[in-house]
Amino acid sequence: MSDGPRRLRVAVGGIVHETNTFIPRPTTLATLRAADWLAGERLVAAYRGTGTELGGMLAAAERLGLEAVPAVYVAAEPGGLVSAEAYAAAAGALLDALAAAGPLDAVCLALHGAGVADGVDDLEGDLLARVREQVGPSVPVLATLDLHTNLTAAMVAHATALVPCLRYPHVDFEACGERAVELAAGCARGELRPVTAARSVPLLTPPTATDGGVGAELRAAAEAWRERPGVLHAAYLHGFPFTDVPAVGAAALVVADGDAALAEQGADALADELWRRRERLPVERPDAAAAVAAALRAVATGENGRPVVLAEVSDNPGGGAPGDGTRLLRAMVAAELPDACFGFLCDEAAAAAAHAAGEGARIALRLGGASGPAAGEPLAVEAEVVRLTDGRFRALHPMERGRQVDLGPSALLRIGTVEVIVASGRTQTLDEAIFALHGVDVARRAVVALKSSAHYRAWFAPRASAVIEADTGGATSAAVERLGHRRLRRPVWPLDPDAPPTRPLA
Ligand SMILES: [Zn+2]
């Protein structure tokens, strides 16, 4: 009698940080500790059933009859350079948890791909090298990656296979987590032999959503390769331009099953598809005043009763920006935009003042603008405190569905025709949960404003009569060629019009 095959043991964990090195405020150990730093069963409790990479990994392990061994997961909001101490502590905790996990058949990590720590330009490449060294050459090590990865040779070399998401908004994170575990199980059973080919495409271009236009064409090209027989995964890495390291740029990646020539062919084909479309990647968007004027016109002509959504894409906390920029809000208040709400500004002091004053009070405030010139001047207002909350809600958006968000003390303020939410914490607005928390039904508003570059579209675009994106010159402005990179590898398009179409990975 046999008990059947032994259950495969797959460790799950990771470190996720998208590092904007142009933001002066560093990401410290305290920042990471205050964010998601979860081990063991707490990791499972927080992420099982959520629409995240970890949620997908846990679901696939259960579906395939594997034993998921929760290690350590550290994830913080995008922000400035990770301190050496913070990275050492997070990596050490993850490596210790893997060492303590007992015999492992595979390791599946959720990583970002644009992490930079003080002294470590390639956080993920460094981490994968250390995990590989610890578990040895025979244990499969799989990692999911964000589409905004600055891909490096070290990441490719030290992972058995990489599983980047294909969509921006990243509504396929959960599917990538599932895929990573499926591939890990296949590798552990000796059924799959992933071989990876990747090309660096020297582009310094702003983030490009994949729900339309050139981004959708590229996504379709990657999906077509992913569906080919013998191909295990295919994706574009768009790169993360708000970072100044040599690896900044785009890349194409194809993982084939044992067929190196097929992977090489795919990487060449995808790199060519991207390079041929490069002229369409830069974007120009209206400034705050022009965007508000466009919103007024859209409200006047709107027919279906849905709100006009106004996105301040250039002050996106999801790209590391402080989220306290005032330019769009100032223009909305000045234009007396009718029946408008803004969710939200990161302003801990304003939230505290509102809580001290109480609901119904009228208070004088200098809103936002504290992080520096990129945020614009603080906005001096007299505001009515409409509603106070604890800033806690569950995400509705497919990318983070079910995840608990805690922004700390928050408040809904009324300034003339505009209502604005101020929160103590920092994150981008993905969906309407923060509005609902403050009693605002966005479906009944004429204008809904928020700070996010593209992720918001997955939730709001189907619910809006029009979407208007404003570039107010903040820290995630699309004018990435003006950021002043100094360590970027050259030549790179469009700074160098004669840049070659591909180059080796950094
Ligand atoms: Zn991303």
Side-chain angles (χ1 to χ4, degrees):
M1 287 284 288
S2 157
D3 293 334
R6 183 180 64 83
R7 281 215 301 169
L8 293 177
R9 303 185 76 239
V10 180
V12 299
I15 298 177
V16 171
H17 193 260
E18 183 180 76
T19 307
N20 184 328
T21 62
F22 294 96
I23 297 291
R25 194 169 160 186
T27 299
T28 64
L29 182 55
T31 318
L32 297 188
R33 286 280 182 200
D36 265 3
W37 186 307
L38 299 163
E41 288 309 314
R42 286 185 58 225
L43 184 165
V44 176
Y47 279 95
R48 175 183 277 154
T50 62
T52 61
E53 304 96 313
L54 285 186
M57 289 179 190
L58 294 168
E62 205 165 307
R63 172 164 51 81
L64 297 172
L66 316 176
E67 182 189 351
V69 183
V72 162
Y73 182 65
V74 179
E77 197 65 26
L81 185 69
V82 180
S83 75
E85 177 195 35
Y87 174 56
L94 176 58
L95 289 162
D96 287 351
L98 293 175
L104 292 171
D105 297 296
V107 176
C108 279
L109 300 177
L111 303 179
H112 186 286
V116 184
D118 195 359
V120 182
D121 282 347
D122 174 13
L123 187 155
E124 291 82 5
D126 181 80
L127 183 67
L128 284 165
R130 292 166 69 181
V131 169
R132 170 60 69 207
E133 184 174 6
Q134 180 169 304
V135 302
S138 61
V139 175
V141 177
L142 285 286
T144 58
L145 290 173
D146 191 282
L147 172 134
H148 299 114
T149 285
N150 294 316
L151 190 68
T152 66
M155 293 181 208
V156 174
H158 298 297
T160 308
L162 298 168
V163 188
C165 72
L166 274 69
R167 290 173 173 265
Y168 180 40
H170 305 328
V171 294
D172 53 345
F173 268 162
E174 185 178 12
C176 286
E178 291 189 38
R179 187 70 180 141
V181 166
E182 289 165 5
L183 295 180
C187 293
R189 294 193 180 105
E191 298 162 0
L192 298 177
R193 291 185 301 120
V195 287
T196 299
R199 301 284 181 272
S200 174
V201 181
L203 296 174
L204 182 65
T205 48
T208 304
T210 64
D211 56 356
V214 62
E217 292 171 24
L218 291 166
R219 173 172 59 79
E223 284 171 347
W225 264 94
R226 191 180 58 177
E227 301 313 318
R228 286 205 184 193
V231 174
L232 301 175
H233 197 68
Y236 284 107
L237 300 306
H238 287 199
F240 186 64
F242 304 103
T243 291
D244 192 10
V245 292
V248 169
L253 173 143
V254 173
V255 184
D257 186 12
D259 189 341
L262 181 63
E264 298 287 342
Q265 185 195 345
D268 277 334
L270 288 179
D272 182 58
E273 294 281 349
L274 174 55
W275 184 251
R276 287 195 287 117
R277 289 171 172 83
R278 67 189 179 285
E279 305 273 358
R280 294 166 59 198
L281 295 170
V283 287
E284 292 250 0
R285 295 191 176 95
D287 66 10
V292 167
L296 274 168
R297 287 194 300 275
V299 168
T301 58
E303 291 158 9
N304 57 13
R306 291 179 182 159
V308 173
V309 171
L310 195 46
E312 191 168 27
V313 302
S314 50
D315 184 31
N316 173 20
D324 68 339
T326 55
R327 292 196 183 100
L328 181 60
L329 178 62
R330 183 187 303 276
M332 290 170 64
V333 171
E336 297 181 352
L337 209 51
D339 196 19
C341 60
F342 196 130
F344 62 94
L345 239 66
C346 308
D347 189 332
E348 191 173 6
H355 276 256
E359 289 181 0
R362 293 191 70 82
I363 53 175
L365 286 171
R366 286 171 61 78
L367 270 182
S371 64
E377 291 288 314
L379 180 60
V381 295
E382 190 174 308
E384 179 191 345
V385 180
V386 179
R387 187 131 165 181
L388 302 172
T389 76
D390 61 2
R392 287 172 57 82
F393 56 88
R394 282 198 186 274
L396 303 166
H397 188 279
M399 186 173 93
E400 295 199 340
R401 189 196 69 247
R403 193 174 86 86
Q404 178 72 47
V405 181
D406 184 355
L407 293 173
S410 302
L412 178 68
L413 309 174
R414 184 176 295 131
I415 306 164
T417 59
V418 179
E419 289 187 335
V420 57
I421 297 167
V422 291
S424 301
R426 193 172 66 83
T427 193
Q428 73 182 301
T429 298
L430 294 174
D431 58 50
E432 66 191 70
I434 188 163
F435 292 99
L437 177 71
H438 289 86
V440 175
D441 180 357
V442 293
R444 294 175 172 275
R445 293 306 170 98
V447 179
V448 178
L450 51 83
K451 293 174 186 282
S452 171
S453 291
H455 289 317
Y456 74 96
R457 285 154 63 144
W459 185 268
F460 284 101
R463 295 168 169 84
S465 65
V467 171
I468 296 163
E469 300 194 324
D471 193 328
T472 62
T476 54
S477 167
V480 293
E481 70 285 353
R482 294 208 287 269
L483 281 166
H485 291 84
R486 283 192 292 218
R487 302 186 57 216
L488 183 69
R489 278 196 300 168
R490 305 289 288 268
V492 66
W493 191 90
L495 298 183
D496 307 302
D498 60 346
T502 62
R503 59 184 175 180
L505 294 174

